[in-house]
């Protein structure tokens, strides 16, 4: 009887230690993706998101380490739970991954990739490159460089 | 005897002075009130159209704004109590005739300034909207940092918010913490004056919960903060415009109703006066007494 009680007390801690990662919370990510004029995802549950940031492109899965990043012009790919993926082009913005696995992707301008036109993008890129030669003012130069970077990213994304 | 006739001669004159309006006066008044009613009705239609557009664009803006403030809420960033430099952004507009929109924001700002000045802190205000400037500059003129005009004519865009944020950051006022006072839209007939907190770069960087956020360098944080500031201003602008248009709609609606009431009352008075004039003329004709 004493031995049985002793065994029982020993067994319970062992059960507690046997908890595995599958039981860990935040297996779902709450994904919010919006621009000032449009909402693409609101607290949705998705599998993975690839974002282009100033420090490089990386993918965010549920239970990602919390971080703050600033976006650069590029393509955001959202992998839904059912396996399909959608691509969006973002101009700039910020991404926040919180400790409870919620992700807020706020883009200044974001459009689905198939609403962009390759020939117009190429024309914009050439125009920006030619403007870069002629401009001298610091602020104007920065604007042209930004427009060039964005156009290059669009062209690369569409090709 | 002389005294009595002179007394009798005075009385009718007093009676005529008290007969307040001739037909002409009432007609003029009636016409002007009818014009006013037309104007307020059309203003109500315009405000209703602008309100429906503003409310439609408020939906994504709300998601965007709450997303922007999520970091501050989740990381529970609180400003330290001993910091001295405060900033208040008051969001209003240039145009009146919208009920208590401007005065409620101004009241909230005044009480906040009184509280902070009493605690010895330095406060500066950013006015978005001319009406707010008019309400604040007389008593709190020395606290005003920036004034923004031409607000409220067109729906606010992200560019407007970024212009305001750029001006604020360029002004060189290094605030430690602040708040944005705006009218939060609740429904067509109600709005509430609300304040959302703003945090400076230092407050966020030194907040204890920021440690769990991985891989953040100062540059990234500064960009992130500036972007978040623009987002919060944009959110305040959007909510404010929607509240303003709905308030203007209700104000013009009650103005039109009051004008209709006045028109009804005046029409009755007009008819009564008209009948009185006709009766008087008839009596004069019938009794053969001619006015000399």
């Amino acid at each position: 009887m004493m031995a049985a009680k002793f065994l029982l007390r020993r067994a319970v801690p062992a059960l507690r230690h046997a908890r595995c990662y599958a039981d860990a919370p935040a297996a779902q990510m709450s994904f919010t993706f919006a621009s000032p004029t449009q909402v693409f995802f609101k607290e949705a549950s998705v599998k993975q998101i690839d974002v282009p940031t100033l420090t490089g492109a990386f993918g965010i899965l549920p239970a990602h380490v919390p971080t703050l990043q600033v976006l650069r012009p590029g393509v955001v790919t959202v992998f839904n739970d059912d396996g399909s993926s959608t691509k969006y082009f973002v101009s700039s913005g910020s991404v926040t991954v919180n400790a409870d696995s919620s992700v807020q992707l706020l883009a200044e301008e974001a459009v689905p990739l198939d609403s962009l036109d390759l020939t117009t993008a190429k024309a914009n890129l050439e125009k920006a490159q030619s403007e870069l030669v002629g401009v001298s003012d610091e602020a104007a130069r920065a604007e042209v460089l930004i427009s060039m970077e964005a156009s290059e990213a669009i062209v690369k994304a569409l090709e | 005897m002389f005294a009595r006739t002179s007394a009798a001669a005075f009385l009718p004159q007093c009676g005529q002075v008290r007969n307040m309006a001739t037909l002409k006066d009432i007609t003029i008044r009636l016409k002007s009130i009818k014009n006013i009613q037309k104007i307020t009705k059309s203003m109500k239609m315009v405000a209703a159209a602008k309100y429906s557009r503003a409310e439609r664009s408020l939906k994504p803006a709300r998601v965007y704004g709450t997303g922007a403030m999520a970091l501050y809420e989740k990381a529970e960033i609180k400003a330290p109590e001993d910091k001295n430099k405060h900033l208040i952004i008051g969001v209003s507009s240039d145009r009146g005739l919208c009920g208590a929109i401007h005065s409620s924001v101004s009241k909230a700002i005044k009480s906040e300034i009184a509280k902070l000045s009493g605690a010895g802190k330095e406060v500066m205000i950013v006015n978005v909207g001319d009406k707010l400037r008019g309400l604040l500059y007389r008593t709190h003129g020395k606290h005003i940092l920036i004034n923004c005009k031409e607000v409220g004519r067109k729906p606010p865009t992200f560019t407007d918010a970024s212009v305001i944020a750029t001006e604020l950051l360029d002004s060189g006022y290094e605030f430690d913490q602040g708040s944005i006072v705006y009218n939060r839209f609740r429904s067509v007939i109600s709005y509430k004056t609300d304040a959302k907190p703003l945090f400076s770069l230092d407050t966020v960087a030194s907040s204890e919960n920021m440690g769990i956020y991985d891989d953040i360098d100062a540059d990234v944080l500064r960009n992130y903060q500036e972007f978040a500031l623009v987002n919060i201003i944009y959110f305040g602008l959007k909510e404010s415009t929607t509240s303003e248009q709905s308030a203007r709609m209700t104000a013009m609606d009650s103005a039109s109703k009051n004008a209709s009431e006045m028109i009804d009352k005046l029409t009755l008075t007009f008819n009564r006066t008209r009948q009185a004039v006709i009766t008087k003329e008839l009596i004069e004709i019938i009794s053969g007494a001619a006015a000399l």
Side-chain angles (χ1 to χ4, degrees), chain A residues 32 34-39 65-70 93-94 96-98 100 102 104 106-108, chain B residues 59-61 63-64 67-68 70-71 74 158 210 212-216 220-221 223-224 227 231 234:
Chain A
T32 308
S35 75
T37 46
Q38 205 180 349
V39 175
V65 158
T67 181
L68 304 176
Q69 292 292 344
V70 173
S94 68
T96 314
V97 183
N98 298 110
D100 59 358
S102 61
Q104 284 90 27
L106 302 169
E108 193 169 332
Chain B
K59 284 206 194 73
V63 175
Y64 192 73
L71 166 70
K74 300 230 160 123
F158 194 76
M210 282 311 284
I212 59 172
Y213 287 89
D214 172 58
D215 187 28
I216 301 181
V220 167
L221 192 58
N223 283 332
Y224 186 87
F227 190 62
N231 289 344
Y234 175 73

Side-chain angles (χ1 to χ4, degrees), chain B residues 53-263:
Chain B
R53 193 162 17 124
E55 209 220 342
R56 248 180 293 131
S57 74
L58 181 63
K59 284 206 194 73
R62 257 195 183 157
V63 175
Y64 192 73
T66 40
M69 290 184 284
L71 166 70
Y72 302 117
E73 286 161 12
K74 300 230 160 123
E76 289 177 12
I77 297 184
K78 281 197 228 323
E81 288 300 321
D82 55 347
K83 288 306 175 90
N84 271 346
K85 289 194 166 188
H86 279 249
L87 175 77
I88 301 182
I89 304 182
V91 183
S92 173
S93 88
D94 282 355
R95 283 148 164 227
L97 294 178
C98 46
I101 294 275
H102 310 295
S103 55
S104 60
V105 172
S106 151
K107 210 161 38 151
I109 291 183
K110 281 184 183 169
S111 71
E112 188 68 22
I113 292 183
K115 197 169 65 163
L116 289 171
S117 301
K121 316 248 170 129
E122 181 191 341
V123 188
M124 291 301 260
I125 313 174
V126 172
N127 286 329
V128 179
D130 221 23
K131 283 278 170 187
L132 199 57
R133 184 191 68 90
L135 287 171
L136 286 177
Y137 91 102
R138 232 175 257 280
T139 49
H140 297 84
K142 59 179 168 44
H143 291 285
I144 295 182
L145 184 64
I146 302 174
N147 284 317
C148 304
K149 280 176 131 184
E150 296 293 315
V151 178
R153 193 125 45 113
K154 289 205 253 231
T157 59
F158 194 76
T159 325
D160 299 334
S162 64
V163 164
I164 298 174
T166 320
E167 271 304 315
L168 173 59
L169 293 167
D170 285 345
S171 74
Y173 180 64
E174 302 281 339
F175 64 98
D176 298 312
Q177 65 187 79
S179 56
I180 174 167
V181 182
Y182 64 103
N183 288 309
R184 184 168 53 92
F185 174 72
R186 283 207 296 207
S187 81
V188 187
I189 49 170
S190 91
Y191 61 89
K192 191 167 177 296
T193 314
D194 206 6
K196 283 272 185 296
L198 300 167
F199 301 104
S200 73
L201 189 54
D202 298 324
T203 315
V204 174
S206 55
S207 159
E208 46 190 67
N209 280 339
M210 282 311 284
I212 59 172
Y213 287 89
D214 172 58
D215 187 28
I216 301 181
D217 54 349
D219 233 4
V220 167
L221 192 58
R222 190 163 58 89
N223 283 332
Y224 186 87
Q225 271 292 97
E226 289 180 6
F227 190 62
L229 180 65
V230 183
N231 289 344
I232 294 183
I233 295 179
Y234 175 73
F235 174 64
L237 280 173
K238 278 284 180 197
E239 292 261 358
S240 246
T241 354
T242 317
S243 315
E244 185 200 330
Q245 297 300 346
S246 77
R248 187 167 292 129
M249 210 167 72
T250 32
M252 290 297 102
D253 185 40
S254 43
S256 311
K257 278 206 193 79
N258 291 343
S260 323
E261 267 181 45
M262 284 180 83
I263 290 175

Side-chain angles (χ1 to χ4, degrees), chain A residues 60-103:
Chain A
I60 303 176
L61 286 122
H64 191 277
V65 158
T67 181
L68 304 176
Q69 292 292 344
V70 173
L71 302 175
R72 61 182 304 172
V75 176
V76 164
T77 318
V78 179
F79 295 93
N80 298 317
D81 276 341
D82 57 4
S84 64
S85 71
T86 18
K87 291 183 196 263
Y88 302 90
F89 182 80
V90 295
S91 66
S92 57
S94 68
V95 63
T96 314
V97 183
N98 298 110
D100 59 358
S101 210
S102 61
V103 180

